[in-house]
Amino acid sequence: MKQPSIRTLLVDDEEPARERLRKLLGPHPDVDIVGEAEDGEQAIRQISDLKPVLVFLDIQMPRPTGLEVAASLGKPAPHVIFFCTAYDEYAVRAFDLHATDYLLKPVKRPRLARALDRVREQIEDGSESATPIPRLGSGTNRRLLARSGEKYVVVQQTRVECFLSEEGETKLCSDRGDYSMDPTLADLDSRLDPDRFYRISRSAIVNLDHIHEVAPLVGGYGEMVLRSGRRCDVSRRRMKELLERFGGS
């Protein structure tokens, strides 16, 4: 029985590395290389446009790094095989993400074949993605990747005031401007550091460090004012939890 085509994207900032990977993938007829990217911005754009099933993603690219690219993906995410030049802190983080696999450069044919077999097995099992979206709390993932028009910007989490859902679009609001993101608020809520970020309603997650004041409203609801002056509504249930969290009554 013929294997289904595996739509594949190659991401590496060095063209010789991408060329070598293309040659190594040549003997695998079910691997269909649908695109290549030389940096993180191109990778995010092509993942969105081409919908690959598998992404070979170099970790050690100039910002945004491969880990930042992985952290910016919405669901469903593709299977991701990370590769890097050595076992270091990046390798440890990649293993923490439970990536489909992790390859060292220069990639060897037998090792690549085993990684592809793992992808095929997961596809046959019906898994949409073997790469859980990483929690955004430590290490390189203290930064977020967001869109500003046709470009992507890296935003430090400390600069984020809140995340809003407006007309089906996720918006990152920072002290330097507002940007768009692919993950939904539900995705972000499960990945952000709970000691820093708190979901105050169906449509807003706030950075607790940016809260200026919280005002109770009739019916148990609330209104939050951030340091920038931005105002956000707080749901009745979240208002009660928020007051308890800050030691209020």
Side-chain angles (χ1 to χ4, degrees), residues 17 21 26 30 60 93 108-109 142-143 177 211 227 239:
L21 191 53
D30 58 332
Q60 295 169 306
R93 185 65 184 131
K108 305 298 183 182
R109 291 182 186 275
R142 288 180 182 149
R143 298 188 292 265
I211 296 176
R227 291 195 310 227
M239 183 65 179

Side-chain angles (χ1 to χ4, degrees), residues 193-213:
D193 182 356
D195 291 332
R196 171 170 288 167
F197 292 95
Y198 187 75
R199 188 163 187 175
I200 60 171
S201 68
R202 293 170 62 97
S203 59
I205 298 173
V206 299
N207 186 336
L208 298 174
D209 294 334
H210 283 258
I211 296 176
H212 175 62
E213 64 180 37

